[in-house]
């Protein structure tokens, strides 16, 4: 009996560690309603439990930067590439395996292999089909500074997706050109809304003629209110800043003590089950090769997102400063 005591004590001491090794801590900047079913499916498939901390992506990124190497997080799931870029630049993410990275087109993953995109969101110009003919719409975002559009445009300057677009415009054209565009738009007296959904609602009411939004808000509105909604999406010319495809993505923390389990989660999020969930639930573009988008969407290859290192969308402070300088915020 006395000989068994050391063995029993050792087992008791090791038991909590074994249980802990079966639980991943996820910091999720994606909405719980959207992703909780995916995390649940991962647990059901692998037996690995998850503990999820939900919040807004910028706040979670700030928390990770503050926690540094002491963060309890194993995985960061972000709403946009800029936040992933900021965390990667701080040296807090570890490289992902090549076989996972190569499931996604190079445009939608970290050039250094630190994170990978899960789903894509294209910027579009939504328009009221009863008030505007598609042939009359500009092919570039620059065209909406024309006085012909005065009082007819809706935008949401406080919204993260709009700010990411402005950051992309700064990266592509420079701060001076981005400032000129913002001032040109402001001179056209656009109507300001709190978010993309509010812009779609305003378009449906005929309150505005066009609005700058992410592509999937239209499909969500039609799912809720019917296909007869008099609103459509207009995709600008390939390569234009107004066709930016930003991504929701995932990275594994360098400080994670469960890197193998964390990589299993990344792999699962790129599998067909999870990718189809994103496509069907929010009409986002699935990014893993071989998974089709919702039939209503144009092919991602035809959208023509500008060639841009999405990691560099991290400079939100510079964008906020520019928005304030121009009086947009």
């Amino acid at each position: 009996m006395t000989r068994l005591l050391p063995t029993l004590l050792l087992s008791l001491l090791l038991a909590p560690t074994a249980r802990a090794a079966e639980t991943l801590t996820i910091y999720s900047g994606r909405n719980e309603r959207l992703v909780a079913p995916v995390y649940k499916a991962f647990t059901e498939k692998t037996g690995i439990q998850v503990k999820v901390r939900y919040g807004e992506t910028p706040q979670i990124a700030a928390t990770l930067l503050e926690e540094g190497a002491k963060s309890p997080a194993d995985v960061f799931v972000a709403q946009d590439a800029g936040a992933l870029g900021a965390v990667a630049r701080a040296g807090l993410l570890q490289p992902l395996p090549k076989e996972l990275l190569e499931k996604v087109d190079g445009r939608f993953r970290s050039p250094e292999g630190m994170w990978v995109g899960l789903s894509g969101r294209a910027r579009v110009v939504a328009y009221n089909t009863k008030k505007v003919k598609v042939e009359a719409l500009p092919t570039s975002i620059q065209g909406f500074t024309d006085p012909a559009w005065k009082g007819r445009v809706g935008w949401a300057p406080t919204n993260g997706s709009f700010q990411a677009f402005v950051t992309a415009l700064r990266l592509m054209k420079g701060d001076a050109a981005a400032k000129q565009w913002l001032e040109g738009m402001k001179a056209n007296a656009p109507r300001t809304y709190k978010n993309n959904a509010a812009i779609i609602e305003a378009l449906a009411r005929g309150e505005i003629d066009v609005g700058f939004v992410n592509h999937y808000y239209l499909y969500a509105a039609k799912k809720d209110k019917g296909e007869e909604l008099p609103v459509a999406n207009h995709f600008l010319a390939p390569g234009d800043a107004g066709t930016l495809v930003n991504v929701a993505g995932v990275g594994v923390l360098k400080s994670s003590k469960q890197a193998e389990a964390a990589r299993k989660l990344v792999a699962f999020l790129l599998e067909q089950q999870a990718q189809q969930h994103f496509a069907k639930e929010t009409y986002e573009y699935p990014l893993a090769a071989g998974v089709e988008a919702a039939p209503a969407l144009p092919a991602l290859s035809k959208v023509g997102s500008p060639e841009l290192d999405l990691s560099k969308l991290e400079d939100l402070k510079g964008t906020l400063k520019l928005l304030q300088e121009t009086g947009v915020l």
Side-chain angles (χ1 to χ4, degrees):
M1 181 69 179
T2 48
R3 275 188 224 164
L4 290 173
L5 281 175
T7 305
L8 288 170
L9 287 170
L10 184 62
S11 298
L12 289 170
L13 287 169
L14 290 177
T17 304
R19 283 197 297 272
E22 296 173 354
T23 301
L24 278 177
T25 297
I26 304 171
Y27 280 17
S28 181
R30 302 233 63 188
N31 183 278
E32 182 175 1
R33 179 191 58 78
L34 171 63
V35 294
V38 180
Y39 299 150
K40 182 181 178 183
F42 168 73
T43 295
E44 290 173 350
K45 179 176 180 179
T46 64
I48 299 170
Q49 301 296 316
V50 297
K51 182 170 65 175
V52 188
R53 175 175 177 173
Y54 292 100
E56 296 294 325
T57 289
Q59 283 69 42
I60 289 182
T63 298
L64 285 168
L65 293 173
E66 184 178 339
E67 292 175 343
K70 295 180 180 179
S71 177
D74 298 295
V75 179
F76 178 31
V77 177
Q79 181 75 9
D80 77 278
L84 287 161
V87 175
R89 195 174 299 275
L92 300 178
L93 297 182
Q94 59 178 273
L96 292 170
K98 185 179 179 182
E99 62 268 22
L100 293 181
L101 293 166
E102 290 185 345
K103 289 186 176 185
V104 172
D105 187 287
R107 293 179 298 161
F108 305 124
R109 63 179 194 247
S110 160
E112 295 80 26
M114 296 297 176
W115 57 265
V116 64
L118 300 174
S119 58
R121 305 184 309 283
R123 294 297 289 175
V124 297
V125 178
Y127 65 99
N128 182 298
T129 55
K130 292 182 178 179
K131 299 179 73 177
V132 180
K133 293 186 181 298
V134 68
E135 297 82 11
L137 290 166
T139 58
S140 170
I141 200 70
Q142 301 288 343
F144 290 96
T145 61
D146 190 299
W149 293 99
K150 189 167 187 176
R152 302 171 63 190
V153 181
W155 66 0
T158 61
N159 184 263
S161 60
F162 177 84
Q163 292 173 3
F165 149 71
V166 175
T167 307
L169 184 61
R170 291 174 54 221
L171 289 170
M172 292 173 65
K173 303 292 186 180
D175 280 7
K179 183 178 182 181
Q180 185 178 26
W181 182 81
L182 288 167
E183 290 174 339
M185 287 302 306
K186 193 165 182 288
N188 267 350
R191 292 190 178 223
T192 297
Y193 298 91
K194 64 179 180 179
N195 55 34
N196 291 308
I199 291 174
I200 296 294
E201 290 170 5
L203 284 165
R205 293 192 301 268
E207 190 172 289
I208 50 177
D209 293 356
V210 298
F212 305 147
V213 298
N214 284 350
H215 79 274
Y216 53 88
Y217 283 92
L218 171 64
Y219 300 103
K222 287 192 171 185
K223 186 177 180 180
D224 183 43
K225 300 185 179 182
E227 288 294 324
E228 66 276 7
L229 203 72
V231 184
N233 280 341
H234 172 57
F235 287 81
L236 298 171
D240 190 83
T243 64
L244 173 71
V245 178
N246 201 348
V247 302
V250 61
V252 175
L253 275 299
K254 186 184 289 186
S255 57
S256 172
K257 296 178 176 59
Q258 303 176 84
E260 184 178 349
R263 287 190 290 269
K264 285 182 181 179
L265 175 61
V266 175
F268 179 81
L269 293 173
L270 291 169
E271 289 176 3
Q272 190 160 350
Q273 179 181 356
Q275 289 285 292
Q276 286 184 337
H277 175 85
F278 296 134
K280 291 179 180 178
E281 289 302 311
T282 65
Y283 294 89
E284 292 175 275
Y285 280 101
L287 293 181
V291 182
E292 294 185 359
L297 298 183
L300 185 57
S301 60
K302 294 182 179 179
V303 171
S305 181
E307 292 293 333
L308 188 68
D309 178 358
L310 295 176
S311 295
K312 293 181 179 177
L313 295 177
E314 66 175 287
D315 185 20
L316 180 59
K317 286 184 179 179
T319 293
L320 290 173
K321 182 181 177 183
L322 189 59
L323 291 170
Q324 289 162 354
E325 284 178 357
T326 55
V328 173
L329 286 182

